[in-house]
Amino acid sequence: PEVASVIEFKGAATINMVNGGDTTTGILANSAGSLITGSQRVRVNNTTTASGTSLYGIRAASGGAVDFSGPTTVILAGGDSYSAAVLSSSVGTVVLTGATIDANSGNGRAFYASGQNSVLTGNAAQYNVIGNILSSSDGAIDLSMTNGSTFTGQSLFGATPGTTNLTISGANSIWNMTGDSTLTYLTLDGATLKYSDTSGSPMVPKTLTVTGNYTGNNGTLVLNSVLGDDSSLTDKLVVNGDTAGHTNV
């Protein structure tokens, strides 16, 4: 029978991947029972100059697991839009506690969970994220961002949706929403959700859809709108479930 491997990063670690080809992955747990852990800072740099190349920073698949309790940095450069800084698929599990993510300057996926029982968890900590969040095919993302966090990108569902729960806390935390977004549960705990400036002509409004519940604890929404009548273009927040708390607009 296949024997699962266990790898522990006991100190700070940096992994550099350069022009490794399509689907090159910095850290991969890819079999049932395989486990990669780390308690110190872990950094993955994955770079390519080849076109049409998908890059991955951290990936757990086929029942493998990655669990980092220290801060994590993943930088992708040059990959295509299918690249993912952190990916959980095929019953893989990823747990992070604080991270800096740059998914090809926002052109790739920062966090991606795909497949039933594929879970990507961001424990309560500071996160600085450039790139989109995508959950599909019953994959689940649960991210809790504490004060000083930033998220620049969209939250998206696949054709078969997953679950994305996002909690953003602290007066110094902000989500710069760059396009239409959808997620399951959203909590703004003193944080700001800013719809990206569309100061062009004509305005292109953006919509955030929360399929479950929205909670505002003195959070702030910054929307763009054209002054006029009731038919004027405007950004929107659509909540299909329940709402609670207080939100400044």
Side-chain angles (χ1 to χ4, degrees), residues 132-199:
N132 298 329
I133 295 175
L134 173 64
S135 62
S136 67
S137 302
D138 295 321
I141 297 174
D142 194 343
L143 180 60
S144 182
M145 308 173 75
T146 60
N147 193 38
S149 295
T150 60
F151 169 30
T152 300
Q154 297 170 261
S155 176
L156 304 169
F157 284 167
T160 300
T163 298
T164 300
N165 302 325
L166 181 59
T167 298
I168 310 176
S169 302
N172 296 312
S173 294
I174 185 169
W175 175 10
N176 296 300
M177 196 180 81
T178 58
D180 291 341
S181 294
T182 305
L183 42 68
T184 312
Y185 293 101
L186 174 63
T187 298
L188 290 181
D189 184 9
T192 297
L193 166 56
K194 182 179 180 181
Y195 292 66
S196 63
D197 184 11
T198 53
S199 54

Side-chain angles (χ1 to χ4, degrees), residues 215-236:
T215 301
N217 182 15
N218 291 316
T220 299
L221 295 180
V222 180
L223 303 95
N224 305 286
S225 184
V226 176
L227 296 178
D229 58 24
D230 290 345
S231 64
S232 296
L233 297 174
T234 185
D235 293 329
K236 296 179 181 179

